Amino acid sequence: MATSGRADDTRPAARAGETEGAVGGAGDPASGPLDSVLRPVRAGNGFEEALEQVLQLLRLGLVPPGERLPSERELSQHLRISRVTLREVLKVLQDQNMVESRRGRYGGTFVLPRTAADGSDELRRRIAAVDVEDTLRFREVLEAGAAGLCAEGLTADGEARLRGALDATRGARLEDYRRQDTLLHLTLAELSGSRTLAAQYAAVRATLNELLDGIPLLVRNLEHSQQQHAAVVGAVLDRDPDAAREMMREHCGGTAALLRGFLA
């Protein structure tokens, strides 16, 4: 895929009508799942790194199909790139039929539904693109670590966020379950207190979701997964790090077994 991005994105001066701001100021976007995915890009590969992160945002399902992406101002602040570069990124996504731009009072950039692919061919492509065992092991290390850290003590706000994320998975429609499941796990990673852990988990979860999207959603498995989610959150709220880590390892093991079954 040929693209024309800036080779050096050192953030040019804002053009007329374009406001640029640094992350960390008073007018910055609120913290949340975006903070684990969208980080300031490094000079030299601004376009490429920004495209990678926005693609990760879509693959994680943090903005579901039919919903609008954060504003250009918010995205550019998170990534610390100019709006000119951001528009180049969005143009690539439009060309790939992943998003569409709408004008008018309620306009913006909206996420398009993912097109269905031949299941077997698509799954083989995804398997070939990643080291499945390495992904599953790394995911378990990060997830168990995050659960243990959270169980060492959350603020009242953190506990409320975690309960809310768990409740959202309970009430999710089947077609929206995986997105809510992702948000619950991202919340645990964020609340661990380690930005590095949260960022690494967002990356490995994007890879994991690529694999999970290639296998069917099984109602029985989702019911079991929900029981495990409740047990992990319960251990965290009880401030029992050992139990939180153990339950998370069990939960990760169930997902790994399911994937290995379909991928064998």
Side-chain angles (χ1 to χ4, degrees), residues 97-212:
N97 295 317
M98 300 180 76
V99 302
E100 70 175 6
S101 178
R102 301 176 190 171
R103 297 185 179 277
R105 182 177 180 183
Y106 300 105
T109 301
F110 290 78
V111 178
L112 294 174
R114 297 180 68 171
T115 56
D118 180 317
S120 58
D121 289 344
E122 178 66 7
L123 189 54
R124 281 193 292 270
R125 181 192 68 77
R126 292 175 183 180
I127 295 169
V130 299
D131 184 331
V132 176
E133 287 300 324
D134 183 71
T135 298
L136 295 174
R137 287 170 183 159
F138 189 42
R139 182 246 179 146
E140 180 179 326
V141 169
L142 292 175
E143 292 252 35
L149 288 170
C150 288
E152 292 177 1
L154 295 178
T155 64
D157 179 66
E159 291 183 356
R161 282 187 59 195
L162 189 55
R163 287 192 181 96
L166 178 62
D167 288 342
T169 63
R170 287 171 173 152
R173 303 184 307 276
L174 185 62
E175 62 270 23
D176 196 42
Y177 181 82
R178 190 155 289 154
R179 185 176 73 89
Q180 295 298 342
D181 174 53
T182 297
L183 288 171
L184 171 61
H185 286 271
L186 279 174
T187 299
L188 278 164
E190 292 163 20
L191 293 175
S192 72
S194 170
R195 289 180 61 86
T196 301
L197 187 155
Q200 289 293 317
Y201 179 67
V204 79
R205 180 70 193 212
T207 301
L208 183 69
N209 280 5
E210 283 284 284
L211 297 173
L212 289 171

Side-chain angles (χ1 to χ4, degrees), residues 139-153 185 188 192 197 228 231-237 239-253:
R139 182 246 179 146
E140 180 179 326
V141 169
L142 292 175
E143 292 252 35
L149 288 170
C150 288
E152 292 177 1
H185 286 271
L188 278 164
S192 72
L197 187 155
Q228 293 175 329
V232 170
V233 172
V236 168
L237 297 179
R239 302 198 175 191
D240 187 340
D242 290 338
R245 285 190 289 265
E246 185 58 31
M247 288 307 308
M248 184 59 82
R249 288 191 190 98
E250 181 179 314
H251 178 55
C252 291

Side-chain angles (χ1 to χ4, degrees), residues 37 55-62 179 182 186 202 205-206 209:
V37 179
L55 279 169
Q56 188 179 101
L57 179 74
L58 298 181
R59 288 171 180 152
L60 285 168
L62 298 184
R179 185 176 73 89
T182 297
L186 279 174
R205 180 70 193 212
N209 280 5

Side-chain angles (χ1 to χ4, degrees), residues 29-101:
S31 61
L34 290 184
D35 288 336
S36 297
V37 179
L38 303 179
R39 303 171 302 283
V41 301
R42 296 167 294 182
N45 292 310
F47 169 78
E48 291 81 2
E49 290 190 20
L51 177 59
E52 178 187 14
Q53 292 188 41
V54 178
L55 279 169
Q56 188 179 101
L57 179 74
L58 298 181
R59 288 171 180 152
L60 285 168
L62 298 184
V63 182
E67 294 295 318
R68 183 168 52 190
L69 286 174
S71 68
E72 288 186 0
R73 178 177 180 275
E74 186 174 354
L75 286 173
S76 62
Q77 284 185 332
H78 273 287
L79 296 166
R80 285 190 181 171
I81 58 174
S82 70
R83 292 194 188 180
V84 172
T85 301
L86 177 62
R87 287 166 188 157
E88 291 174 347
V89 168
L90 296 178
K91 177 63 165 58
V92 170
L93 300 180
Q94 289 179 47
D95 291 343
Q96 296 300 308
N97 295 317
M98 300 180 76
V99 302
E100 70 175 6
S101 178

